Amino acid sequence: MCGIFGFSGFRDSELLHRMAWRLRHRGPDGEGFLEQGEFSFGNRRLAIIDLDTGDQPIFNEDRTLAIVQNGEIYNYVELRKQLKERGHRFATHTDTEVVLHGFEEWGEDVVHHLEGMFAFAIHDLRSGETLLARDPCGQKPLFYWSGQGSFLFASAIKALLECESVPRRARLDALDAWLCLRYVPEPATMFEDIHTLPAGHLLRLHPGGGFEIERYWSVTLSDGSAYRSDDDYLEELQATFDQAMARTMRSDVPVASYLSAGVDSSLIAKVARDLNTELHTWSIGFHSNIDETRDAAETAARIGSQHHEIYLEPQDFALLPRVIWQMDVPVGDAIILAFDRLAAACAQDFKVVLSGEGADEMFAGYPFHKILPLAHRYSRLMPGLLHEALVMPLLRAAPVGLLDRVFPFPAYLGKQGKRRVVDFLGGYRDRSLRQNYVWLKTLWGEEDRRNLYSADMRHRASTDWIPADGEPRGHFLDRLLAMQYDAWMQDWAIIRQERNTMAHSLELRLPFLDKQLIELAFRMPPHLKARGNRDKIVERRLAERLLPPEVVRRAKVPFYLPMDYFVANPEIQKLIDLTLNPTQVAARGYFDPKYVRRLVDDMHTRDFLVQKQVMSLVILELWHMIHIDQSLTPTP
């Protein structure tokens, strides 16, 4: 719902309206502004709740406070009742006005009362102070730039760039982090001097342009002293999930749901169907052997939803520049194209869609949630001398096919993948948990990056960007899961969906990111999440109550783009020729043109990692051409 924007420290009505125009895709249903001295802010609205009287900014009773908000407060009905009992008078039926009166009642602590996804700005017209806040998981974006006594904020970076004072420069000290993760961990972005307000943080903006940022929410790890029975947690999970779903479904417009063949989206679709007399579900496929479309259609038939299938076609790769334009920041995986096509199809008939992001992060559903705990136990039990003298030589000699069976991977590891696995295990003991987490997940290992960089960039790229682990506390698996709420969740899992749905004026809702549900998951003992080769144990027990056995037992199929099926397509070759030709690579100056050419030549092998590496470089260069150089202008 919506896009927000504003600035402090100067006056410029034309800039305010240009920022609004840049955010029109996030809110096609209307716009509103407030200009007071050297502070201005505004909103572009996507009408979901209170279609008739919900225009923003919204003021309190005596017009001393004003708010603009992006998102949805799912418990606004309960909060509205509570605030009315305390004497607050409402002029609308919106969730945004509930936040404003909540701020009157509780001050900054209002953020602790909110269940939902949000980024908002509340301006005090008397003092000139402004409070900005972002939801605990970063479901809604909020970027800012400060300098020269000015401060600007917006839901999208392209709105900030409407201001001539905001430079269009790539942040070179973030390049190494981007290659490792294919995103830049917050609060930095790939734009120099443009930051994101981190998830679960608030920002106090003062009239003179100064500001401070404070964290108000983080995952709390259990010390294990108050664990209850497994059955107690299952009952609490069902009640909390049902409550989260009921709140998430609140809308004055129809709600659809994405549906893969996995347990997460199947649970959401089943409960949504039970709450609604009619539900439309949507799936995407690739015409490949990894497609889940057949299984998804079977699940849809069993729960009684009206199901729709679309497929990513080779010619769709011509749309990749436009998708990168709408993402603002580079996310180095061509799967963003699939998210865009899925959102475009659903948005033809709906304004709101549900999706299952967040369950894997709570209940340990990814392969690395199994591999890292196994490596941790191995490192504690295996003597170092035996590890070096016996185990490592055996690993180096093992065929790739064997390692493919031992280490869950979306596709054939290839030689690069095998080397990555061997390097990971060989150096595990010498790295921190966070370093091992990055090492295992990275697309570009340390040696890969060293070979990729140009001679100049090899000396300039900052490699000291992985933060320290902090004080070790809690169970190993819980510490691993908690790390994802500092960056991975908002900078990788959510952003790929949120930017592409909002590009089509479609609001994404994620029931598994209910704050009470997350906090419950971290109160549970780790054996209810993952144990041995089993994952999402307690979630699957819940699913057994609601879904057919074959749905519950399905192994997680990673959602990735099968480049084998697209690599020879002319549209991809055009993009590669445009972005990774030796002249362009040399002119950019980041990478060795000869090394990049070898990677491109190797794309036609079955090496899964090489194909993903090449596409990540294509995306990075397209991002530069579109957002920094402005030499390529995709059609919105």
Side-chain angles (χ1 to χ4, degrees):
M1 170 187 171
C2 310
I4 64 173
F5 49 93
F7 48 82
S8 175
F10 61 96
R11 303 182 185 192
D12 192 332
S13 294
E14 290 186 5
L15 172 62
L16 191 65
H17 284 78
R18 289 201 309 271
M19 294 175 79
W21 181 81
R22 274 298 182 198
L23 293 175
R24 64 195 184 281
H25 59 285
R26 295 189 69 93
D29 297 329
E31 64 183 19
F33 308 95
L34 167 68
E35 297 180 76
Q36 187 203 27
E38 292 195 337
F39 177 85
S40 301
F41 70 3
N43 165 273
R44 286 289 312 197
R45 188 182 184 212
L46 177 65
I48 304 295
I49 291 173
D50 190 4
L51 306 185
D52 297 325
T53 65
D55 293 338
Q56 301 181 32
I58 291 177
F59 296 84
N60 64 342
E61 295 94 331
D62 60 5
R63 298 184 70 85
T64 57
L65 295 172
I67 184 173
V68 291
Q69 182 194 218
N70 169 29
E72 301 289 351
I73 307 303
Y74 300 139
N75 63 333
Y76 80 99
V77 173
E78 293 81 2
L79 290 177
R80 178 188 175 93
K81 179 180 178 183
Q82 185 178 352
L83 290 165
K84 288 183 73 172
E85 290 172 351
R86 297 191 180 197
H88 293 270
R89 291 178 287 113
F90 287 78
T92 75
H93 297 283
T94 66
D95 57 332
T96 301
E97 190 178 8
V98 168
V99 179
L100 185 62
H101 289 298
F103 177 75
E104 286 185 296
E105 185 70 28
W106 300 301
E108 292 178 358
D109 284 345
V110 65
V111 293
H112 297 294
H113 294 260
L114 305 178
E115 295 287 348
M117 53 179 182
F118 55 83
F120 64 74
I122 296 177
H123 182 63
D124 189 322
L125 282 78
R126 298 159 299 185
S127 68
E129 300 283 332
T130 306
L131 177 72
L132 289 85
R134 192 169 174 219
D135 67 76
C137 293
Q139 296 180 66
K140 288 298 167 186
L142 190 57
F143 300 98
Y144 69 90
W145 176 88
S146 65
Q148 307 166 17
S150 302
F151 183 96
L152 293 93
F153 66 90
S155 298
I157 289 176
K158 56 177 61 71
L160 299 180
L161 294 172
E162 287 296 314
C163 178
E164 294 180 356
S165 299
V166 180
R168 287 180 180 267
R169 289 195 296 264
R171 183 170 183 158
L172 296 187
D173 63 357
L175 183 59
D176 200 73
W178 189 89
L179 285 172
C180 264
L181 301 171
R182 289 174 289 160
Y183 62 85
V184 177
E186 62 179 32
T189 73
M190 202 64 196
F191 289 88
E192 187 176 298
D193 296 329
I194 295 178
H195 297 82
T196 179
L197 179 63
H201 285 66
L202 52 83
L203 184 152
R204 303 180 192 93
L205 174 62
H206 307 303
F211 65 93
E212 63 267 354
I213 294 175
E214 180 180 320
R215 187 168 196 161
Y216 69 84
W217 183 88
S218 61
V219 170
T220 300
L221 300 185
S222 172
D223 62 6
S225 62
Y227 287 149
R228 309 193 310 271
S229 72
D230 292 358
D231 288 340
D232 281 350
Y233 285 115
L234 178 59
E235 295 302 324
E236 189 175 358
L237 174 61
Q238 179 158 13
T240 307
F241 181 68
D242 286 347
Q243 182 182 56
M245 282 295 302
R247 287 195 297 238
T248 308
M249 292 288 290
R250 282 176 174 165
S251 171
D252 291 338
V253 298
V255 178
S257 187
Y258 289 160
L259 180 63
S260 70
V263 67
D264 309 331
S265 63
S266 298
L267 265 175
I268 288 172
K270 174 63 170 67
V271 177
R273 176 67 179 84
D274 291 344
L275 291 170
N276 272 1
T277 56
E278 181 179 300
L279 178 71
H280 288 253
T281 50
W282 296 81
S283 298
I284 187 167
F286 307 104
H287 300 298
S288 78
N289 60 4
I290 71 160
D291 274 10
E292 295 182 279
T293 48
R294 182 189 302 173
D295 290 337
E298 181 181 323
T299 300
R302 286 181 172 269
I303 67 174
S305 67
Q306 297 189 40
H307 192 59
H308 310 265
E309 289 178 5
I310 68 164
Y311 288 87
L312 187 71
E313 304 293 347
Q315 60 268 26
D316 290 334
F317 276 83
L319 301 173
L320 186 58
R322 182 184 59 74
V323 174
I324 293 168
W325 175 82
Q326 67 200 27
M327 294 284 295
D328 270 352
V329 293
V331 175
D333 192 332
I335 195 67
I336 56 178
L337 189 56
F339 288 123
D340 174 82
R341 294 296 81 207
L342 186 60
C346 186
Q348 293 179 17
D349 299 302
F350 293 91
K351 281 189 172 184
V352 181
V353 66
L354 307 177
S355 188
E357 277 75 10
D360 289 316
E361 288 77 8
M362 277 192 292
F363 298 120
Y366 293 117
F368 62 82
H369 291 142
K370 303 171 188 175
I371 294 172
L372 279 166
L374 285 172
H376 179 66
R377 286 196 291 272
Y378 168 83
S379 70
R380 296 176 64 184
L381 296 173
M382 177 64 68
L385 289 176
L386 190 60
H387 168 76
E388 292 295 337
L390 178 63
V391 177
M392 290 308 299
L394 287 175
L395 278 174
R396 292 187 184 100
V400 175
L402 177 61
L403 292 182
D404 266 324
R405 293 191 181 95
V406 176
F407 289 87
F409 214 70
Y412 177 69
L413 277 168
K415 292 180 181 179
Q416 277 210 57
K418 175 187 172 179
R419 175 172 54 80
R420 190 78 52 77
V421 168
V422 172
D423 289 347
F424 166 73
L425 291 174
Y428 182 89
R429 299 167 190 264
D430 301 323
R431 295 187 293 264
S432 68
L433 170 58
R434 197 174 295 265
Q435 288 170 329
N436 278 314
Y437 168 73
V438 171
W439 190 282
L440 187 62
K441 297 198 307 89
T442 185
L443 182 63
W444 295 91
E446 188 174 351
E447 183 179 342
D448 298 326
R449 303 197 306 278
R450 187 166 55 250
N451 292 332
L452 174 67
Y453 285 137
S454 65
D456 179 57
M457 188 55 65
R458 199 171 294 131
H459 299 293
R460 297 177 61 189
S462 172
T463 58
D464 185 25
W465 56 269
I466 302 177
D469 282 350
E471 185 67 27
R473 57 187 178 86
H475 189 278
F476 180 87
L477 179 61
D478 282 344
R479 286 191 284 132
L480 173 60
L481 294 173
M483 285 196 312
Q484 297 166 114
Y485 291 84
D486 288 336
W488 159 273
M489 179 74 72
Q490 55 272 38
D491 293 322
W492 181 259
I494 296 173
I495 188 175
R496 301 178 302 171
Q497 287 269 36
E498 200 275 347
R499 298 302 188 279
N500 285 303
T501 51
M502 290 307 297
H504 299 282
S505 304
L506 176 69
E507 179 176 276
L508 176 74
R509 295 187 178 183
L510 306 173
F512 279 108
L513 293 187
D514 180 89
K515 186 171 61 175
Q516 294 182 26
L517 200 55
I518 295 169
E519 292 172 347
L520 169 61
F522 279 93
R523 292 197 302 270
M524 293 180 178
H527 72 258
L528 284 177
K529 301 160 197 170
R531 186 169 54 210
N533 199 40
R534 299 171 64 197
D535 64 4
K536 298 193 283 194
I537 294 169
V538 70
E539 185 190 352
R540 292 185 188 279
R541 287 188 62 189
L542 172 61
E544 288 172 355
R545 296 181 170 187
L546 302 174
L547 296 167
E550 60 270 22
V551 177
V552 179
R553 289 194 295 264
R554 282 180 194 144
K556 178 178 177 61
V557 177
F559 185 63
Y560 74 98
L561 191 66
M563 285 303 301
D564 283 355
Y565 286 80
F566 298 99
V567 68
N569 181 262
E571 292 296 342
I572 294 179
Q573 293 305 312
K574 287 179 187 176
L575 292 173
I576 292 173
D577 292 343
L578 173 68
T579 58
L580 301 185
N581 67 79
T583 301
Q584 185 72 12
V585 174
R588 186 65 59 198
Y590 298 168
F591 308 129
D592 178 358
K594 292 181 180 179
Y595 188 78
V596 172
R597 176 48 52 187
R598 285 199 298 271
L599 287 175
V600 171
D601 291 342
D602 287 344
M603 273 194 83
H604 298 281
T605 70
R606 288 188 62 222
D607 200 317
F608 173 74
L609 287 177
V610 170
Q611 292 176 345
K612 291 182 77 66
Q613 285 176 335
V614 170
M615 290 310 299
S616 73
L617 297 182
V618 169
I619 288 170
L620 182 63
E621 181 57 28
L622 284 172
W623 176 82
H624 275 84
M625 297 170 73
I626 294 165
H627 290 285
I628 304 299
D629 306 338
Q630 295 183 278
S631 60
L632 181 63
T633 306
T635 303

PDB file of all heavy atoms in Angstrom, residues 75-76 91 146 152 164 209 236 239 272 295 326 381 512 520 552 565 583 616 626:
ATOM      1  N   ASN A  75      -3.549  -5.339  12.867  1.00  0.00           N
ATOM      2  CA  ASN A  75      -4.361  -5.326  14.095  1.00  0.00           C
ATOM      3  C   ASN A  75      -4.991  -3.958  14.338  1.00  0.00           C
ATOM      4  O   ASN A  75      -5.264  -3.579  15.477  1.00  0.00           O
ATOM      5  CB  ASN A  75      -3.516  -5.749  15.306  1.00  0.00           C
ATOM      6  CG  ASN A  75      -2.365  -4.792  15.600  1.00  0.00           C
ATOM      7  OD1 ASN A  75      -1.876  -4.120  14.697  1.00  0.00           O
ATOM      8  ND2 ASN A  75      -1.924  -4.731  16.854  1.00  0.00           N
ATOM      9  N   TYR A  76      -5.233  -3.215  13.263  1.00  0.00           N
ATOM     10  CA  TYR A  76      -5.754  -1.859  13.435  1.00  0.00           C
ATOM     11  C   TYR A  76      -7.154  -1.840  14.025  1.00  0.00           C
ATOM     12  O   TYR A  76      -7.530  -0.884  14.731  1.00  0.00           O
ATOM     13  CB  TYR A  76      -5.723  -1.098  12.102  1.00  0.00           C
ATOM     14  CG  TYR A  76      -6.851  -1.413  11.149  1.00  0.00           C
ATOM     15  CD1 TYR A  76      -7.961  -0.583  11.037  1.00  0.00           C
ATOM     16  CD2 TYR A  76      -6.817  -2.551  10.343  1.00  0.00           C
ATOM     17  CE1 TYR A  76      -8.991  -0.862  10.159  1.00  0.00           C
ATOM     18  CE2 TYR A  76      -7.837  -2.845   9.476  1.00  0.00           C
ATOM     19  CZ  TYR A  76      -8.924  -2.002   9.378  1.00  0.00           C
ATOM     20  OH  TYR A  76      -9.951  -2.299   8.512  1.00  0.00           O
ATOM     21  N   ALA A  91     -11.470  10.295  12.228  1.00  0.00           N
ATOM     22  CA  ALA A  91     -12.141  10.908  11.077  1.00  0.00           C
ATOM     23  C   ALA A  91     -12.233   9.946   9.898  1.00  0.00           C
ATOM     24  O   ALA A  91     -12.962  10.214   8.943  1.00  0.00           O
ATOM     25  CB  ALA A  91     -11.401  12.174  10.656  1.00  0.00           C
ATOM     26  N   SER A 146      21.273  12.258   3.399  1.00  0.00           N
ATOM     27  CA  SER A 146      21.455  13.498   4.154  1.00  0.00           C
ATOM     28  C   SER A 146      22.753  14.164   3.726  1.00  0.00           C
ATOM     29  O   SER A 146      23.742  13.492   3.401  1.00  0.00           O
ATOM     30  CB  SER A 146      21.471  13.226   5.658  1.00  0.00           C
ATOM     31  OG  SER A 146      22.598  12.435   6.020  1.00  0.00           O
ATOM     32  N   LEU A 152      16.474  13.802   2.952  1.00  0.00           N
ATOM     33  CA  LEU A 152      15.403  13.327   2.085  1.00  0.00           C
ATOM     34  C   LEU A 152      15.107  11.869   2.402  1.00  0.00           C
ATOM     35  O   LEU A 152      16.024  11.100   2.731  1.00  0.00           O
ATOM     36  CB  LEU A 152      15.787  13.442   0.608  1.00  0.00           C
ATOM     37  CG  LEU A 152      15.961  14.834   0.012  1.00  0.00           C
ATOM     38  CD1 LEU A 152      17.419  15.271   0.100  1.00  0.00           C
ATOM     39  CD2 LEU A 152      15.486  14.861  -1.445  1.00  0.00           C
ATOM     40  N   GLU A 164      18.554  17.154  -7.235  1.00  0.00           N
ATOM     41  CA  GLU A 164      19.852  17.356  -7.869  1.00  0.00           C
ATOM     42  C   GLU A 164      21.012  17.222  -6.886  1.00  0.00           C
ATOM     43  O   GLU A 164      22.146  16.948  -7.289  1.00  0.00           O
ATOM     44  CB  GLU A 164      19.898  18.727  -8.545  1.00  0.00           C
ATOM     45  CG  GLU A 164      18.943  18.854  -9.730  1.00  0.00           C
ATOM     46  CD  GLU A 164      19.012  20.230 -10.374  1.00  0.00           C
ATOM     47  OE1 GLU A 164      19.759  21.088  -9.834  1.00  0.00           O
ATOM     48  OE2 GLU A 164      18.334  20.440 -11.394  1.00  0.00           O
ATOM     49  N   GLY A 209      18.109  19.309  10.700  1.00  0.00           N
ATOM     50  CA  GLY A 209      18.656  18.317   9.780  1.00  0.00           C
ATOM     51  C   GLY A 209      19.386  17.181  10.467  1.00  0.00           C
ATOM     52  O   GLY A 209      19.726  16.189   9.833  1.00  0.00           O
ATOM     53  N   GLU A 236       0.012 -23.893  20.323  1.00  0.00           N
ATOM     54  CA  GLU A 236       0.215 -22.449  20.269  1.00  0.00           C
ATOM     55  C   GLU A 236       0.516 -21.986  18.854  1.00  0.00           C
ATOM     56  O   GLU A 236       0.074 -20.913  18.426  1.00  0.00           O
ATOM     57  CB  GLU A 236       1.347 -22.034  21.214  1.00  0.00           C
ATOM     58  CG  GLU A 236       1.467 -20.528  21.363  1.00  0.00           C
ATOM     59  CD  GLU A 236       2.506 -20.102  22.384  1.00  0.00           C
ATOM     60  OE1 GLU A 236       3.130 -20.980  23.023  1.00  0.00           O
ATOM     61  OE2 GLU A 236       2.706 -18.878  22.542  1.00  0.00           O
ATOM     62  N   ALA A 239      -2.808 -21.766  16.912  1.00  0.00           N
ATOM     63  CA  ALA A 239      -3.611 -20.609  17.311  1.00  0.00           C
ATOM     64  C   ALA A 239      -2.984 -19.309  16.798  1.00  0.00           C
ATOM     65  O   ALA A 239      -3.690 -18.414  16.306  1.00  0.00           O
ATOM     66  CB  ALA A 239      -3.735 -20.570  18.839  1.00  0.00           C
ATOM     67  N   ALA A 272      -6.479 -19.511   3.919  1.00  0.00           N
ATOM     68  CA  ALA A 272      -7.140 -18.409   3.211  1.00  0.00           C
ATOM     69  C   ALA A 272      -8.426 -18.880   2.548  1.00  0.00           C
ATOM     70  O   ALA A 272      -9.441 -18.166   2.556  1.00  0.00           O
ATOM     71  CB  ALA A 272      -6.193 -17.822   2.166  1.00  0.00           C
ATOM     72  N   ASP A 295       2.250 -30.172  -9.274  1.00  0.00           N
ATOM     73  CA  ASP A 295       1.933 -30.402  -7.868  1.00  0.00           C
ATOM     74  C   ASP A 295       1.122 -29.252  -7.285  1.00  0.00           C
ATOM     75  O   ASP A 295       0.217 -29.462  -6.463  1.00  0.00           O
ATOM     76  CB  ASP A 295       3.219 -30.592  -7.056  1.00  0.00           C
ATOM     77  CG  ASP A 295       3.912 -31.911  -7.372  1.00  0.00           C
ATOM     78  OD1 ASP A 295       3.234 -32.836  -7.847  1.00  0.00           O
ATOM     79  OD2 ASP A 295       5.130 -32.005  -7.140  1.00  0.00           O
ATOM     80  N   GLN A 326      13.036  -1.142 -11.976  1.00  0.00           N
ATOM     81  CA  GLN A 326      12.021  -1.023 -10.928  1.00  0.00           C
ATOM     82  C   GLN A 326      12.521  -1.538  -9.571  1.00  0.00           C
ATOM     83  O   GLN A 326      11.972  -1.176  -8.529  1.00  0.00           O
ATOM     84  CB  GLN A 326      10.723  -1.744 -11.327  1.00  0.00           C
ATOM     85  CG  GLN A 326      10.813  -3.246 -11.433  1.00  0.00           C
ATOM     86  CD  GLN A 326       9.689  -3.847 -12.279  1.00  0.00           C
ATOM     87  OE1 GLN A 326       9.151  -3.182 -13.175  1.00  0.00           O
ATOM     88  NE2 GLN A 326       9.308  -5.088 -12.016  1.00  0.00           N
ATOM     89  N   LEU A 381      33.686 -32.604  17.124  1.00  0.00           N
ATOM     90  CA  LEU A 381      33.954 -34.011  17.430  1.00  0.00           C
ATOM     91  C   LEU A 381      35.186 -34.565  16.731  1.00  0.00           C
ATOM     92  O   LEU A 381      35.849 -35.465  17.265  1.00  0.00           O
ATOM     93  CB  LEU A 381      32.728 -34.856  17.038  1.00  0.00           C
ATOM     94  CG  LEU A 381      31.433 -34.566  17.805  1.00  0.00           C
ATOM     95  CD1 LEU A 381      30.278 -35.356  17.198  1.00  0.00           C
ATOM     96  CD2 LEU A 381      31.584 -34.886  19.280  1.00  0.00           C
ATOM     97  N   PHE A 512       3.665 -15.331   7.430  1.00  0.00           N
ATOM     98  CA  PHE A 512       4.677 -15.931   8.291  1.00  0.00           C
ATOM     99  C   PHE A 512       5.595 -14.884   8.935  1.00  0.00           C
ATOM    100  O   PHE A 512       6.388 -15.238   9.815  1.00  0.00           O
ATOM    101  CB  PHE A 512       5.516 -16.951   7.521  1.00  0.00           C
ATOM    102  CG  PHE A 512       4.857 -18.292   7.384  1.00  0.00           C
ATOM    103  CD1 PHE A 512       4.356 -18.720   6.164  1.00  0.00           C
ATOM    104  CD2 PHE A 512       4.729 -19.131   8.482  1.00  0.00           C
ATOM    105  CE1 PHE A 512       3.739 -19.956   6.040  1.00  0.00           C
ATOM    106  CE2 PHE A 512       4.119 -20.365   8.367  1.00  0.00           C
ATOM    107  CZ  PHE A 512       3.621 -20.783   7.144  1.00  0.00           C
ATOM    108  N   LEU A 520       7.297 -16.569  18.758  1.00  0.00           N
ATOM    109  CA  LEU A 520       6.962 -17.925  19.190  1.00  0.00           C
ATOM    110  C   LEU A 520       7.980 -18.923  18.670  1.00  0.00           C
ATOM    111  O   LEU A 520       8.444 -19.811  19.405  1.00  0.00           O
ATOM    112  CB  LEU A 520       5.561 -18.301  18.708  1.00  0.00           C
ATOM    113  CG  LEU A 520       5.166 -19.784  18.846  1.00  0.00           C
ATOM    114  CD1 LEU A 520       5.192 -20.215  20.310  1.00  0.00           C
ATOM    115  CD2 LEU A 520       3.801 -20.040  18.224  1.00  0.00           C
ATOM    116  N   VAL A 552       2.278 -32.556   2.645  1.00  0.00           N
ATOM    117  CA  VAL A 552       3.117 -32.389   3.830  1.00  0.00           C
ATOM    118  C   VAL A 552       4.479 -33.037   3.632  1.00  0.00           C
ATOM    119  O   VAL A 552       5.506 -32.511   4.068  1.00  0.00           O
ATOM    120  CB  VAL A 552       2.419 -32.995   5.064  1.00  0.00           C
ATOM    121  CG1 VAL A 552       3.294 -32.849   6.309  1.00  0.00           C
ATOM    122  CG2 VAL A 552       1.065 -32.340   5.279  1.00  0.00           C
ATOM    123  N   TYR A 565      17.747 -24.085 -19.407  1.00  0.00           N
ATOM    124  CA  TYR A 565      16.641 -24.039 -20.358  1.00  0.00           C
ATOM    125  C   TYR A 565      16.586 -22.719 -21.123  1.00  0.00           C
ATOM    126  O   TYR A 565      15.795 -22.564 -22.043  1.00  0.00           O
ATOM    127  CB  TYR A 565      15.315 -24.260 -19.619  1.00  0.00           C
ATOM    128  CG  TYR A 565      15.118 -25.691 -19.194  1.00  0.00           C
ATOM    129  CD1 TYR A 565      15.740 -26.177 -18.051  1.00  0.00           C
ATOM    130  CD2 TYR A 565      14.340 -26.571 -19.935  1.00  0.00           C
ATOM    131  CE1 TYR A 565      15.575 -27.496 -17.650  1.00  0.00           C
ATOM    132  CE2 TYR A 565      14.169 -27.887 -19.555  1.00  0.00           C
ATOM    133  CZ  TYR A 565      14.796 -28.344 -18.412  1.00  0.00           C
ATOM    134  OH  TYR A 565      14.641 -29.655 -18.026  1.00  0.00           O
ATOM    135  N   THR A 583      35.102  -4.587 -24.205  1.00  0.00           N
ATOM    136  CA  THR A 583      35.220  -3.124 -24.166  1.00  0.00           C
ATOM    137  C   THR A 583      34.437  -2.548 -22.991  1.00  0.00           C
ATOM    138  O   THR A 583      34.924  -1.680 -22.258  1.00  0.00           O
ATOM    139  CB  THR A 583      34.713  -2.518 -25.484  1.00  0.00           C
ATOM    140  OG1 THR A 583      35.480  -3.040 -26.571  1.00  0.00           O
ATOM    141  CG2 THR A 583      34.820  -1.004 -25.454  1.00  0.00           C
ATOM    142  N   SER A 616      24.647 -12.770 -12.777  1.00  0.00           N
ATOM    143  CA  SER A 616      24.802 -11.733 -11.747  1.00  0.00           C
ATOM    144  C   SER A 616      25.615 -10.560 -12.288  1.00  0.00           C
ATOM    145  O   SER A 616      25.302  -9.396 -12.002  1.00  0.00           O
ATOM    146  CB  SER A 616      25.457 -12.314 -10.492  1.00  0.00           C
ATOM    147  OG  SER A 616      26.831 -12.575 -10.675  1.00  0.00           O
ATOM    148  N   ILE A 626      21.682   1.695 -16.229  1.00  0.00           N
ATOM    149  CA  ILE A 626      20.357   2.284 -16.028  1.00  0.00           C
ATOM    150  C   ILE A 626      20.385   3.384 -14.972  1.00  0.00           C
ATOM    151  O   ILE A 626      19.896   4.499 -15.198  1.00  0.00           O
ATOM    152  CB  ILE A 626      19.342   1.194 -15.639  1.00  0.00           C
ATOM    153  CG1 ILE A 626      19.135   0.218 -16.800  1.00  0.00           C
ATOM    154  CG2 ILE A 626      18.017   1.809 -15.199  1.00  0.00           C
ATOM    155  CD1 ILE A 626      18.433  -1.070 -16.401  1.00  0.00           C
TER     156      ILE A 626
END
